[in-house]
Amino acid sequence: MAVHKPSALRPGSKIGVVAPAGCVDEEALETGAAALRRKGFEVEFSPSTRARKGYLAGDAEARAQDMVTFFRRDDIDAIFCARGGFGAIQTLPFLGDEIRNRPKIFAGYSDITVLLNWFLQKFEMVTFHAPMVAMDLASGLTARSATQLWDTLTGKSKSWEVKLGEII
C-alpha cells in the first residue's frame, strides 16, 4: 500500500487542536497549548474542543467536522488531539473522502487509535501515535520523549531505535 506522508513541521507552523473523544479540562488544554507555543508553533482550537455533551466533547458530527475542516485548511499544518477517553469511533461515519490526499500530521493515542487506523486504512495516510495536548503535553514530557517527538515531527530525525528493556 502506498501511503501519503505529511510535511514536516517548521518554526511557526500552525497546529490545530481537536477533541474527537472526551471533553477536555480547560486548564490542562491551555497548559498543553502553551507547551506547543514555547516550541515555536501557533495553536488554534477547533470549535468543539471546549464543547461538552455529557462526557464527550460535543456531538459526533461536530467533532468529525472539526477534523475535516482542519484537514481541508491549508494554513493548518498538523492536527493534535486534546485527549482520548471515549467517543472517537462515533466520528467515523462523518469522515468522508474529502480528506483523502490531504495528509497532515495527525497525533494522538488511546481512544484516538481508532482514528489513526481509520486514516491509514481508508485514506492511506501516515499518522502518529503521539502525546496529546491536554494530557502529556500539559503534564510535561521527559527530555528523551520530547526529543523523539519533535525530531520526528520536524523531520530532523528520519528514524530512531529503541533497545529492548530501555526506558524512554
Side-chain angles (χ1 to χ4, degrees):
M1 162 193 320
V3 293
H4 304 287
K5 295 178 183 177
S7 298
L9 290 176
R10 57 197 180 288
S13 290
K14 185 182 282 187
I15 296 174
V17 178
V18 296
C23 56
V24 181
D25 177 78
E26 179 70 24
E27 184 177 340
L29 181 66
E30 289 298 334
T31 301
L36 292 172
R37 290 184 187 106
R38 283 193 302 275
K39 293 300 292 180
F41 303 112
E42 292 182 41
V43 176
E44 182 177 331
F45 300 116
S46 69
S48 295
T49 303
R50 292 180 170 94
R52 290 186 180 271
K53 183 177 181 181
Y55 54 84
L56 299 170
D59 69 37
E61 189 169 3
R63 289 180 276 131
Q65 188 57 49
D66 285 351
M67 289 184 282
V68 169
T69 298
F70 277 175
F71 272 109
R72 285 181 179 160
R73 285 181 44 189
D74 292 333
D75 66 322
I76 300 289
D77 301 297
I79 303 168
F80 281 31
C81 294
R83 62 159 293 165
F86 174 79
I89 198 166
Q90 298 169 338
T91 66
L92 298 184
F94 305 106
L95 297 173
D97 282 343
E98 64 268 32
I99 65 174
R100 182 180 300 280
N101 300 320
R102 292 181 142 318
K104 294 184 184 205
I105 291 170
F106 186 85
Y109 69 95
S110 186
D111 186 56
I112 304 306
T113 304
V114 71
L115 295 171
L116 303 178
N117 289 325
W118 183 261
F119 292 153
L120 176 61
Q121 291 175 358
K122 184 161 177 72
F123 306 123
E124 300 171 333
M125 187 183 305
V126 171
T127 57
F128 296 84
H129 188 273
M132 293 188 282
V133 178
M135 304 299 292
D136 318 278
L137 294 175
S139 63
L141 302 176
T142 65
R144 181 153 181 208
S145 291
T147 298
Q148 294 281 346
L149 175 67
W150 299 118
D151 284 0
T152 299
L153 298 185
T154 60
K156 183 177 178 182
S157 176
K158 303 294 183 198
S159 65
W160 48 274
E161 177 181 316
V162 177
K163 295 181 171 105
L164 293 177
E166 187 175 25
I167 297 175
I168 296 179

